Every structure is written in structure tokens, then in C-alpha cells.
Amino acid sequence: MSFTQLAAKFGSPYVASTALGMGLTGYFWYGNLALKYQGVLPYSEKARTTHTQKLDAWTWMFERGKKQMGMSIIVATLAYTTAAILAPAGRLRAPLVVAAGLSASSPIWTLVLMMPTNNRLLELAEKSKADPLVPTAEVDALIARWKALHNARIVLGACAYFTGMAVLLLAM
């Protein structure tokens, strides 16, 4: 396939929407994966920080991540949904619906299952400013729970990304 033919394919609205969805779910997936292995929590454990410092690090990460990751996955959901609507009838529409569903699952997962943990961590972080002797066992348990729940978002992002990639490859 020549470059001109490839460029023409990306001019198709559903292919362009699929590429956008794939790019954003890729950002979401890679970003969350990097956070898991190279972010502030792995560093704070390696550096043996205090629980107050762990809470500060988690809060710093959370406040930035909720905006960037939240927006990327919402726009990815809209892009995959648009692609599914615009795709010609046939074998590519169903995987686009699946990619949109996988993308939409992450914010739902976060709001329903992770929000209580997030809220409690934020509450403890706020309390630790006045009293640095926060309940360490609770902080450890909440961060461990957050990490376990966060893993599901990584998997959802990866599945949406690879579904989008499969559609793009099939569309070429």
C-alpha cells in the first residue's frame, strides 16, 4: 500500500475516529502503566517515605491524573462511539462498539469502585497536614487497595487500545 493510499484511508471519518480513540487509549494505558511502575508510589516505597509523605505523593499524582487520564478516556470513548456509528455495516462495527464499551468502563469503574478509596485517601491526606500521625495501617491498606483497583483500569485501557488497533489493521 502506498503512502497516498494509506493517507486516503485515514481521511475516512470512521478510520480517523478509530485512530483518535486508539491514540487516546494508548496514552491512557501507557500512562497508567508508567504510573504503576515508575510513578510516585513505587518511588515512595523505595525511598521508605513516611505515611504522610506517601499520602502527599498519592494526592499530588491523583490531582494531576484525574484531569489528564479522565479527559483522555472520555474523549477516547466518544471517538470509538463515533467510529462505530460512522463505520460501514459489517465486521468492523462490533469491535468498535466493544472498544467504546471498554473505554467507557474505566470512568465507571473509577467512579463506582475507586471513589470511596480515593475519597478516604484524600481525607487522610488533609488530616495529616494538621496531625502527621495518621493511622499507618489504614494508609497502607488503602494504597494497596487503590493499586489493585488501578490494575483493572490498566487492563481496560490495554483492551480498548488493542481492539482499536485490530480495527485499524483490518480497515487497511
Side-chain angles (χ1 to χ4, degrees):
M1 177 179 290
S2 73
F3 179 76
T4 306
Q5 291 170 319
L6 183 62
K9 288 270 188 185
F10 277 97
S12 163
Y14 94 91
V15 173
S17 293
T18 303
L20 177 61
M22 188 183 136
L24 290 168
T25 53
Y27 169 76
F28 182 83
W29 173 46
Y30 288 132
N32 279 306
L33 203 57
L35 179 70
K36 176 183 171 100
Y37 292 108
Q38 301 166 350
V40 295
L41 289 180
Y43 173 78
S44 68
E45 288 169 2
K46 182 178 186 260
R48 297 182 183 174
T49 58
T50 67
H51 285 79
T52 300
Q53 291 168 327
K54 277 184 191 176
L55 285 169
D56 287 344
W58 180 88
T59 302
W60 181 86
M61 171 200 65
F62 175 78
E63 292 299 332
R64 280 147 190 81
K66 72 180 180 182
K67 295 170 189 162
Q68 295 173 8
M69 296 300 168
M71 193 54 98
S72 71
I73 204 65
I74 289 168
V75 175
T77 301
L78 294 173
Y80 280 137
T81 302
T82 301
I85 292 167
L86 298 175
R91 64 186 176 146
L92 298 180
R93 191 170 279 166
L96 287 166
V97 170
V98 169
L102 288 165
S103 297
S105 297
S106 187
I108 294 167
W109 177 269
T110 302
L111 291 172
V112 173
L113 296 172
M114 292 186 77
M115 196 56 74
T117 302
N118 294 346
N119 287 341
R120 182 62 182 149
L121 282 165
L122 290 168
E123 182 182 319
L124 286 173
E126 191 61 35
K127 285 182 181 177
S128 74
K129 290 176 184 172
D131 179 12
L133 298 174
V134 294
T136 58
E138 184 180 9
V139 171
D140 287 340
L142 286 167
I143 288 177
R145 177 167 170 71
W146 184 89
K147 287 178 181 178
L149 291 169
H150 181 70
N151 286 338
R153 290 194 303 198
I154 293 169
V155 171
L156 290 169
C159 291
Y161 173 78
F162 285 114
T163 303
M165 180 186 286
V167 169
L168 275 182
L169 292 172
L170 290 170
M172 297 297 149

